[in-house]
Amino acid sequence: MKILSVVGARPQFVKLAAVADAAAEAEGVEHVIVHTGQHYDAAMSDVFFADLRIPAPDVNLGSGSGTHGRQTGSMLAAMDEVLEEHRPDWVLVYGDTNSTLAGTLSAVKMHLRVAHLEAGLRSFNRRMPEEHNRVLTDHAADLLLAPTEVAREHLAAEGLAERTVVVGDVMTDVCLRVAAAVRDQPLRLPEGIDPAADFAVATIHRADNTDDPERLRAIVRGLQSLDMPLALLAHPRLVAKAEAAGIDLAGGAVRVGEPLAYPDLVAAVQRARAVVTDSGGLQKEAYLLGTPCTTVRTETEWVETLENGWNQLVADPADLPAAVGRPRPTADRPDHYGDGQAAQRVVALLQERAR
Ligand code: UD1
């Protein structure tokens, strides 16, 4: 059986790590990896393949950045040839990026079967490009691999129950494995942060937070006025938008650093006093690692993290210092995201349902 995975952006490489391992362990599975080239900086791509020991991509489409239509279109145009050559039993697409949508569209039009990993997540915020990518992908795909019960309910409400299987969350597989390996590793934090004292870790990259200069300025001001030092691991979009708007990211509590490799990120989150983010993956990683998270958005797809106060949504950046400084919750973190074996379940299911 041949599975062809389409990936392109940072969070997809983490999910791919789990699937690539499970595919290598399973008997009779050939796994082809296609990298669209959406993320191309070494720190956003290569280090993930190296650190998570993912086999090098078989194909790189080299699509790069651009407006949504141009970026998605260039991937779509390049995918046809790849699928014609490989003719997989399953095209496996991951999450909610433009790479997910391009891989899906190309495959379904060639009558190849598509499985969507991390199906059924919804923010119900139509301003987010990711929300359109999720909805369109779920409705086009043949098999919907849902991470949670809540995701299954969303799919059922859209008439997609028959195509849905809850498999658990593959990011949990990787996060738990890496967390155990890096427990005592020295931290790679930006200069000026004492790893032995309280510190926070932040990432901000969503268009809604970065692309309006007033909003971005307010967020940076909120972060700078925290009462503990904060490592801001700056995504290229954040750096570019701040520069264009004349906003200095560093200052006050904020120390700016480059995006971290995945094991370094997990080590930092594990030891941090708090996380501030608008990333989906990081909210969940903070939850799994028991670090309180503050999410700079009006909603989250990972609603389970809000239970018992482990994650808190903050729409107004002026509220950041109070939210980030809140006491660490003492209540439980129920095991909503599976048992760390989701990827094995995915590969077994694809094998079972291969024609
Ligand atoms: C994308 C995904 C988002 C995911 C995120 C993880 C979409 C619509 N969004 O957002 O779901 O959470 O990846 O990081 O697919 N850039 C670089 N170097 C890189 C990659 C990007 O400099 O290696 C810059 C480019 O100027 C680009 C900008 O960052 O225009 C944004 O990149 P893009 O791929 O459009 O989306 P992300 O914000 O990364």
Side-chain angles (χ1 to χ4, degrees):
M1 191 224 6
K2 193 193 269 193
I3 303 173
L4 184 143
S5 283
V6 184
V7 293
R10 191 165 54 168
Q12 295 170 326
F13 308 141
V14 180
K15 294 163 201 163
L16 173 66
V19 171
D21 273 355
E25 281 163 19
E27 222 160 284
V29 174
E30 186 187 346
H31 186 207
V32 177
I33 299 174
V34 178
H35 189 321
T36 62
Q38 175 169 356
H39 285 176
Y40 43 84
D41 284 356
M44 300 288 287
S45 175
D46 303 4
V47 294
F48 285 80
F49 281 81
D51 287 333
L52 297 174
R53 290 192 293 279
I54 307 170
D58 299 274
V59 183
N60 195 319
L61 306 179
S63 293
S65 304
T67 60
H68 287 282
R70 289 191 186 91
Q71 186 181 56
T72 312
S74 88
M75 296 172 193
L76 188 53
M79 275 304 295
D80 281 3
E81 194 182 317
V82 175
L83 293 178
E84 269 158 19
E85 183 191 335
H86 288 281
R87 289 261 147 211
D89 297 288
W90 283 105
V91 175
L92 184 57
V93 295
Y94 299 68
D96 59 15
T97 73
N98 291 337
S99 300
T100 316
L101 182 61
T104 303
L105 283 181
S106 171
V108 292
K109 296 213 174 184
M110 290 175 70
H111 308 296
L112 291 168
R113 288 194 301 168
V114 175
H116 182 205
L117 190 75
E118 215 173 73
L121 292 197
R122 295 290 182 269
S123 66
F124 302 102
N125 176 355
R126 288 173 54 81
R127 283 183 49 82
M128 286 178 72
E130 293 84 358
E131 183 72 356
H132 298 287
N133 291 340
R134 290 180 194 122
V135 172
L136 293 168
T137 299
D138 282 336
H139 283 260
D142 300 275
L143 178 60
L144 302 175
L145 303 163
T148 60
E149 279 305 314
V150 172
R152 189 185 58 72
E153 285 162 22
H154 291 152
L155 293 166
E158 292 173 28
L160 300 172
E162 275 183 17
R163 290 186 237 164
T164 303
V165 181
V166 177
V167 289
D169 173 43
V170 300
M171 262 181 148
T172 300
D173 303 8
V174 185
C175 180
L176 297 181
R177 193 185 77 202
V178 170
V182 299
R183 187 146 287 132
D184 304 315
Q185 171 179 305
L187 301 185
R188 296 172 73 97
L189 296 171
E191 221 166 295
I193 296 192
D194 174 5
D198 277 355
F199 66 90
V201 170
T203 72
I204 296 289
H205 80 275
R206 297 253 169 235
D208 256 2
N209 283 334
T210 57
D211 293 8
D212 168 13
E214 278 323 301
R215 168 100 186 142
L216 181 56
R217 194 165 281 120
I219 291 172
V220 171
R221 209 176 293 133
L223 296 176
Q224 290 181 342
S225 49
L226 298 187
D227 60 9
M228 68 182 112
L230 171 121
L232 178 58
L233 309 170
H235 185 288
R237 173 197 285 280
L238 174 64
V239 174
K241 296 290 177 183
E243 213 171 274
I247 299 169
D248 203 352
L249 294 172
V254 173
R255 313 279 186 282
V256 181
E258 301 246 313
L260 288 181
Y262 190 73
D264 294 322
L265 178 80
V266 168
V269 169
Q270 193 157 236
R271 307 251 288 277
R273 167 69 185 76
V275 164
V276 186
T277 193
D278 58 7
S279 144
L282 195 48
Q283 291 172 53
K284 204 174 37 184
E285 281 146 5
Y287 181 86
L288 293 170
L289 299 171
T291 304
C293 181
T294 302
T295 298
V296 192
R297 284 179 53 190
T298 47
E299 73 287 307
T300 176
E301 299 79 12
W302 300 106
V303 289
E304 302 84 359
T305 60
L306 298 173
E307 264 176 44
N308 297 338
W310 284 99
N311 188 11
Q312 185 177 323
L313 298 173
V314 166
D316 181 350
D319 298 334
L320 277 171
V324 177
R326 75 189 185 275
R328 189 172 189 279
T330 49
D332 286 356
R333 285 171 292 122
D335 173 10
H336 292 292
Y337 297 115
D339 54 5
Q341 307 290 320
Q344 278 91 332
R345 232 167 271 131
V346 167
V347 171
L349 194 62
L350 296 181
Q351 269 186 306
E352 200 180 295
R353 301 205 180 176
R355 265 190 279 259

